[in-house]
Amino acid sequence: MIWQRFLPCILFAAKAMSYAPEELAEAAPMNFEVPENRYIVEFETSFADAQDDLGNQNLQFSVSNHYESSAFLGMSIQIHNPNEFSLDDVLSLPSVRNVWQASYVTLDFKSDKSASPQWSPHSITGVDTVHDKAIFGEGIRVAVVDSGLDIHHEAFQHLKIEGYDFTADPQNPQTTFEDSVGHGTFVSSIIVGLSNDMKGVAPGASLKMYKVFGKSATTTDDIILAALLKAYSESPDVISLSLGSDRGYPSMPISIVASRIAETIPVVFAAGNSGRKGPFHASSGASGNGVIAVASVESTQHASWSATLKSSSGEKLTFDYIGNDGSKIATDFVFEVEYIGNACAIPASFDSNAGKIVMGIRGTCKNSEIENAIRSNHYSGSIMFVSPGEMHTPKFESHDKIFGLTTNSVRSWLKRELNDNNEISISFAQEDTHGAIAKIDGSAGQISAFTSWGPTFHQDFYPHIAAPGGNVFGAHLGGGYSISSGTSFACPYIAGVIALYLSEHGRVEPQTLRRKIINSGSLLSRAYSSGYIDYIKTKTDLSKYAPLIQQGNGLVNVESMWNLTTNILSEPYFLLNDTDNRISSFKISFANESPEQVTYRIRHREMDVVNTCDSTKRYVSSYWPEFVDSRPQVEILETSLVLEAGSKGSVSVQVRAPLTIDKAKAPVFQGVIEIMGSNGDEFTVPFIGSEFSAKEWTPITQQPLLLIRDKSGLRKIAEEEKLSFEPLRTPSLFYSIRYASELYSVDLVEELFDVAQIQLPLLSSTKNYLGPIRAFAPQSGSSIAFPIVFSPISAGPTFVQPQSFSNGTAIPSGRYKFLCRALKIFGKPSNINDWQFFLTDSFTVALSQSENHQFATGRMIKGKNNFRFKRDEETPLLSAEQFLVEAEIEERAARKSNNVLRLRRSLTSISGALSGFTNDIQFSNDASSSKPYALLSLLMYVLTWTF
């Protein structure tokens, strides 16, 4: 094949690979949507210069947002004539610095309504010790970018909260910011909430809401950017953003702007909830330089409710239970109790069991089996017994029945009363307060399984610190409280900690404060969570540390942070990078700011290696990755250091990769340098290194496959077969993006296109090159316009179904191939060695009469940089080859007459750094006549997939 002859683009693996049939059968359609024709533009100079330059480009656009800030000067625009200009033209203007395709951001939020608990997570972080000193964040202003806030909720009645709503008109935000989603209300209560039932981290601080989500949990990053810049302009003391996507590229616009703001204001992001996907799922925004990315830790308590068993002997037992979804059993009815040995073995009964509650051991069956037995035997529900270590929040589907868990100690009392032939009844307290049951399973106080893992695609340390976020309580939209989980709630916890610290210590340089938070963290043990029956069971290994690329530098330790008199002057962590960019030594610098001499002892805490991928096709390992009992070779040159009061010193550390390591599995080695002072100061400095070449861990796994899906399933396309873009005649292109690529594209090329002759940039004038395509995504029912920038990664093959050129115009009849190309991480778009190129097999497109209509009424002209169609009612339908011949003839004639056609390339290049490589076929005829057919074709396609 051609790609095998193209030496600079050889894959990481030496041998060719192929997809197994089961991989193709299980392949999911690609689902990657972006706001159509919306772009974020950054200017070099002024608005006036840029708008003059854009006007000279005949660009038809409306402005969605103006960004005028020292952190970012530019605007987001909606393009109205995408087929008639190129972003390459815009990027060539001296007034333009960069351009990005706008993207969607969706909240991951679900809460279970309940009343508030008489518990708090502050004891495990040390926040309670600060509250004991009557420090609550007074005088500190916190900015929250989220979904709004329920200003009528009791948790906020002690504050006058202001804010803006950017969802209707980001250029002129409204001053009302009511929450329609609930996420912002919950987040805000963790920072400033205060009532009889809950206390936030910094209830004395003031909060301003910058609403970016409307009635849905999805928004766009250009709206977030407007809110973030507005917050920055008002100079808050800390900014909290519990949002993002798992495309952790530091070159995304939110990441860039957050990095700039973090130089003067602390910026805190949620690390993300993609932990089940494994390493390399850092979140956008949170991957910025200098920000704080926060992981989640599980709570140490369960919220519980009260119930009472009453015996005919007169004895009573009041006990705590955990209700279905954590909710109270809301009934004042008194039920008869029927005891059985095991709730998984409820016997068939023909009696009337209405008003009866079954009580028995939980057993090992599925929730659905218990539900079916309860329903078929007409019981009102079941309260089940488990050991204290198995207490969890039950999740039963039947909310019209009663379900709950309690401990085996209740079973002992019940059996004793029943042995005396007493009858037992049960009632449920209806008060709106409840208590707490100690959580003693392996997850208590450990890192949450859902927390997104690092490192970033650029091998940066990620996440940075952890805070309570698993099974936490917060204000519920509309009143009351609810329980929810996510790094979205760990993020505001850290924002609250910052508010507390600044309230007591005054102004602190943001990066100094960031180092203090990270380096005072407490490392957590390794906790592996797996599905068990119908809940998550966690096994904890106290002899091993959780990986740094999961926990960061551990749980925030407020007491240590407050008491630390040593000021860390160097970076809060050290990056040894991948093998192409290896750093083998680093220096930890710090100052003794205590009033006395301090002797520091320095040692290395060892950690296991994490293998982040498999060794064959090198897909990123999903949760739980493989650990290797192998240690980096660490030499600390100064194991003891004496510093006088007010003096500075440093420690030199040299690190080499472990000796026993399998580079094919992309291992990440890690460790922590612990520094302990004689005055009680103690802090840690983590490091990570990647023992592989990130650049050679190429994005595309193997040769993409072009297949057809018919009634018999997937098969190869026959040589003589003619394809179109109708149901059962549309090809499916299977490929995998296993590692990061800042630009990935599927392009249409003529059959004679030769990869070995590629010259960059790829233009439409490139021989036999036609341009990027648009594909249909069956999963979402939407289309995907290539190229894709900041590509997400996949854990296996995915597929798209080509429909048209990227700008939406139809592909004419002819013989073609698809060109799949991906830019390697750290790659330069101008360097051909930094790309992967693959060609599919040839295929024939033969359009139906209706599809050919637009070609029958136009003739194609090939110009300097692109194709387009010119209206000519008398021009007959031509083949693709005839189009090219005619285009060349017309181009020569135009040159002779000096009538140079101004032809514009398509709207496909999305990043300034990636300019000039993504061009398209453009058409100037009105395509509106094809819209009814396109809609009918889409409907037929959806029906085909449905049935």
Side-chain angles (χ1 to χ4, degrees):
M1 291 185 178
I2 291 175
W3 69 271
Q4 291 172 317
R5 302 201 308 267
F6 193 51
L7 294 179
C9 301
I10 292 177
L11 287 175
F12 185 93
K15 61 181 182 179
M17 295 178 287
S18 61
Y19 290 117
E22 58 270 19
E23 286 185 285
L24 297 178
E26 295 173 1
M30 187 176 186
N31 186 15
F32 183 81
E33 295 183 72
V34 294
E36 196 78 9
N37 299 323
R38 187 182 299 183
Y39 294 86
I40 298 171
V41 185
E42 184 177 18
F43 302 149
E44 280 286 4
T45 52
S46 67
F47 274 109
D49 291 342
Q51 289 187 309
D52 287 345
D53 286 344
L54 291 173
N56 293 333
Q57 294 292 310
N58 298 318
L59 179 64
Q60 297 175 18
F61 65 91
S62 56
V63 178
S64 301
N65 296 284
H66 277 103
Y67 308 124
E68 193 163 6
S69 166
S70 59
F72 191 88
L73 180 67
M75 59 188 179
S76 68
I77 57 176
Q78 189 74 36
I79 305 300
H80 303 301
N81 60 335
N83 297 348
E84 298 177 17
F85 91 110
S86 166
L87 287 185
D88 296 341
D89 296 329
V90 177
L91 285 163
S92 67
L93 300 174
S95 59
V96 173
R97 173 184 291 186
N98 218 331
V99 182
W100 298 268
Q101 166 74 60
S103 60
Y104 289 117
V105 175
T106 300
L107 294 172
D108 180 11
F109 178 58
K110 179 183 178 183
S111 64
D112 297 317
K113 179 75 184 293
S114 66
S116 68
Q118 295 299 317
W119 96 193
S120 162
H122 302 327
S123 60
I124 67 170
T125 62
V127 163
D128 57 346
T129 64
V130 179
H131 288 174
D132 289 344
K133 295 190 292 184
I135 299 170
F136 299 104
E138 288 82 355
I140 302 303
R141 293 171 301 136
V142 181
V144 176
V145 181
D146 214 290
S147 67
L149 186 143
D150 180 357
I151 60 173
H152 304 293
H153 198 286
E154 66 167 359
F156 307 116
Q157 295 312 300
H158 64 296
L159 295 174
K160 180 182 179 181
I161 297 179
E162 299 178 337
Y164 301 98
D165 180 356
F166 292 83
T167 60
D169 182 3
Q171 295 187 80
N172 300 289
Q174 302 173 1
T175 55
T176 56
F177 45 90
E178 281 295 319
D179 194 354
S180 298
V181 178
H183 189 269
T185 297
F186 198 111
V187 162
S188 300
S189 70
I190 290 174
I191 304 173
V192 299
L194 183 64
S195 70
N196 290 331
D197 300 314
M198 77 166 294
K199 182 190 291 184
V201 181
S206 63
L207 184 144
K208 197 162 192 176
M209 173 59 65
Y210 299 80
K211 178 180 175 179
V212 295
F213 294 89
K215 293 183 178 180
S216 76
T218 297
T219 188
T220 55
D221 59 352
D222 61 327
I223 293 177
I224 295 172
L225 185 58
L228 179 57
L229 290 171
K230 178 67 172 178
Y232 173 59
S233 72
E234 297 185 331
S235 301
D237 296 297
V238 58
I239 303 175
S240 175
L241 300 98
S242 293
L243 45 79
S245 65
D246 57 6
R247 294 186 293 145
Y249 295 88
S251 49
M252 295 184 76
I254 297 299
S255 302
I256 290 174
V257 173
S259 300
R260 296 171 184 170
I261 293 175
E263 295 176 5
T264 55
I265 298 173
V267 180
V268 189
F269 275 94
N273 301 330
S274 297
R276 292 292 179 182
K277 296 180 181 179
F280 297 106
H281 280 85
S283 180
S284 57
S287 297
N289 298 319
V291 306
I292 303 174
V294 188
S296 169
V297 167
E298 289 295 308
S299 68
T300 58
Q301 296 168 305
H302 294 290
S304 63
W305 300 90
S306 178
T308 300
L309 289 172
K310 183 177 181 181
S311 171
S312 57
S313 67
E315 294 291 319
K316 292 182 181 181
L317 176 69
T318 298
F319 64 94
D320 285 344
Y321 70 90
I322 303 176
N324 193 26
D325 287 333
S327 300
K328 174 180 65 178
I329 297 173
T331 177
D332 56 5
F333 190 83
V334 178
F335 296 88
E336 180 183 345
V337 171
E338 181 170 325
Y339 176 78
I340 61 172
N342 192 317
C344 292
I346 298 175
S349 172
F350 299 99
D351 297 334
S352 174
N353 294 314
K356 291 184 180 180
I357 295 289
V358 171
M359 298 189 76
I361 295 172
R362 167 60 183 79
T364 59
C365 61
K366 294 181 179 179
N367 282 353
S368 58
E369 296 177 50
I370 297 175
E371 288 181 276
N372 290 338
I374 291 291
R375 191 170 298 282
S376 62
N377 290 291
H378 308 291
Y379 287 104
S380 296
S382 178
I383 301 295
M384 294 155 281
F385 306 118
V386 295
S387 66
E390 292 180 333
M391 285 293 284
H392 62 279
T393 301
K395 304 283 184 180
F396 286 85
E397 296 294 330
S398 301
H399 291 278
D400 61 330
K401 297 290 184 180
I402 291 171
F403 293 101
L405 298 178
T406 190
T407 60
N408 281 325
S409 60
V410 178
R411 175 172 170 258
S412 299
W413 182 94
L414 178 62
K415 288 183 67 177
R416 185 175 63 250
E417 291 297 319
L418 290 173
N419 287 339
D420 292 338
N421 296 317
N422 294 313
E423 294 181 350
I424 309 295
S425 63
I426 185 171
S427 59
F428 300 94
Q430 296 303 296
E431 290 82 5
D432 285 337
T433 58
H434 58 75
I437 298 175
K439 191 176 183 181
I440 62 174
D441 67 10
S443 69
Q446 301 300 334
I447 203 75
S448 300
F450 56 76
T451 286
S452 292
W453 292 50
T456 69
F457 292 135
H458 287 201
Q459 313 307 308
D460 204 348
F461 189 83
Y462 189 96
H464 302 127
I465 196 70
N471 289 302
V472 296
F473 279 79
H476 191 83
L477 180 63
Y481 299 84
S482 56
I483 184 171
S484 191
S485 295
T487 58
S488 281
F489 315 122
C491 167
Y493 200 97
I494 293 297
V497 168
I498 291 173
L500 289 179
Y501 191 87
L502 294 177
S503 179
E504 181 174 3
H505 294 87
R507 175 69 183 171
V508 179
E509 194 273 333
Q511 292 307 307
T512 298
L513 183 57
R514 179 174 182 258
R515 290 192 291 269
K516 190 176 284 288
I517 291 171
I518 295 173
N519 295 126
S520 60
S522 300
L523 292 174
L524 301 170
S525 299
R526 189 184 301 175
Y528 166 66
S529 297
S530 61
Y532 177 72
I533 313 175
D534 286 282
Y535 70 98
I536 299 298
K537 187 168 184 177
T538 302
K539 296 179 180 179
T540 303
D541 185 348
L542 298 178
S543 67
K544 302 282 188 179
Y545 290 116
L548 298 178
I549 58 175
Q550 185 196 27
Q551 68 164 318
N553 203 36
L555 176 65
V556 62
N557 186 330
V558 171
E559 281 190 271
S560 176
M561 179 182 168
W562 250 249
N563 298 328
L564 192 65
T565 59
T566 302
N567 184 15
I568 300 97
L569 305 174
S570 52
E571 291 298 314
Y573 45 78
F574 286 93
L575 309 174
L576 307 184
N577 301 326
D578 67 351
T579 52
D580 293 338
N581 306 282
R582 176 54 43 84
I583 296 173
S584 298
S585 62
F586 55 88
K587 185 174 289 188
I588 304 172
S589 301
F590 47 93
N592 174 17
E593 296 183 351
S594 74
E596 59 187 24
Q597 181 191 80
V598 176
T599 299
Y600 295 92
R601 293 183 295 111
I602 301 96
R603 68 176 183 177
H604 169 224
R605 287 192 188 182
E606 296 183 333
M607 293 186 174
D608 288 349
V609 168
V610 183
N611 286 335
T612 63
C613 77
D614 66 83
S615 59
T616 52
K617 295 185 178 179
R618 309 193 83 229
Y619 291 122
V620 168
S621 300
S622 59
Y623 183 96
W624 182 251
E626 179 185 15
F627 288 83
V628 180
D629 188 8
S630 186
R631 310 283 189 271
Q633 305 167 76
V634 177
E635 182 180 4
I636 301 173
L637 302 186
E638 300 89 8
T639 57
S640 180
L641 185 67
V642 178
L643 292 181
E644 298 298 329
S647 63
K648 302 176 182 178
S650 61
V651 174
S652 298
V653 182
Q654 295 180 352
V655 183
R656 289 181 294 169
L659 296 175
T660 55
I661 203 165
D662 185 354
K663 291 186 179 182
K665 294 184 177 182
V668 173
F669 61 88
Q670 54 190 340
V672 165
I673 305 302
E674 184 179 46
I675 301 176
M676 298 161 288
S678 57
N679 64 341
D681 277 6
E682 186 173 326
F683 61 96
T684 53
V685 180
F687 65 85
I688 61 169
S690 301
E691 193 59 11
F692 58 90
S693 167
K695 192 172 185 179
E696 292 309 316
W697 188 357
T698 47
I700 303 177
T701 314
Q702 60 198 69
Q703 175 70 42
L705 270 180
L706 190 63
L707 303 173
I708 192 81
R709 188 188 298 271
D710 59 20
K711 294 178 180 178
S712 62
L714 284 172
R715 60 172 175 81
K716 283 192 172 184
I717 299 169
E719 179 70 24
E720 69 282 358
E721 192 166 2
K722 293 178 173 58
L723 305 177
S724 71
F725 303 102
E726 298 174 338
L728 300 182
R729 293 181 65 203
T730 300
S732 294
L733 181 64
F734 289 81
Y735 62 89
S736 303
I737 299 295
R738 63 183 175 189
Y739 195 67
S741 176
E742 294 194 5
L743 189 150
Y744 171 74
S745 190
V746 177
D747 306 331
L748 189 72
V749 298
E750 296 286 350
E751 185 179 26
L752 298 178
F753 182 86
D754 188 352
V755 171
Q757 296 177 3
I758 286 180
Q759 292 184 347
L760 299 177
L762 268 176
L763 303 175
S764 295
S765 56
T766 302
K767 187 176 181 181
N768 298 320
Y769 176 80
L770 299 179
I773 67 163
R774 180 181 294 267
F776 183 67
Q779 190 173 32
S780 62
S782 62
S783 62
I784 299 168
F786 288 94
I788 291 173
V789 295
F790 307 124
S791 175
I793 61 176
S794 61
T798 185
F799 70 91
V800 294
Q801 297 184 308
Q803 296 290 299
S804 66
F805 285 106
S806 185
N807 64 1
T809 54
I811 297 171
S813 299
R815 286 283 288 175
Y816 304 106
K817 294 180 180 179
F818 286 119
L819 171 68
C820 299
R821 55 190 173 100
L823 182 66
K824 301 175 186 177
I825 198 72
F826 299 125
K828 296 180 179 179
S830 59
N831 186 350
I832 199 166
N833 295 318
D834 289 345
W835 287 84
Q836 283 182 287
F837 299 96
F838 290 93
L839 279 176
T840 67
D841 294 332
S842 301
F843 60 93
T844 300
V845 173
L847 300 183
S848 65
Q849 188 63 36
S850 57
E851 289 173 305
N852 268 323
H853 175 72
Q854 62 176 302
F855 299 101
T857 58
R859 53 197 175 104
M860 192 162 77
I861 299 174
K862 183 177 181 183
K864 181 178 179 181
N865 291 323
N866 76 323
F867 298 100
R868 67 174 179 172
F869 274 94
K870 183 177 180 180
R871 297 294 295 179
D872 186 346
E873 298 297 336
E874 299 179 357
T875 302
L877 179 64
L878 302 176
S879 68
E881 290 81 359
Q882 288 171 313
F883 277 135
L884 292 175
V885 171
E886 181 174 311
E888 292 293 344
I889 293 172
E890 291 202 23
E891 186 177 12
R892 285 197 297 270
R895 284 201 302 267
K896 288 180 180 179
S897 63
N898 293 320
N899 181 21
V900 179
L901 297 175
R902 182 174 178 81
L903 304 173
R904 303 200 180 278
R905 300 184 294 274
S906 71
L907 178 60
T908 52
S909 179
I910 298 175
S911 170
L914 306 171
S915 61
F917 303 99
T918 53
N919 302 284
D920 207 334
I921 300 177
Q922 303 297 319
F923 301 89
S924 60
N925 64 302
D926 183 3
S928 61
S929 61
S930 66
K931 288 182 179 178
Y933 175 79
L935 291 172
L936 178 59
S937 178
L938 176 60
L939 177 60
M940 290 174 65
Y941 187 85
V942 172
L943 289 173
T944 300
W945 267 87
T946 303
F947 295 100

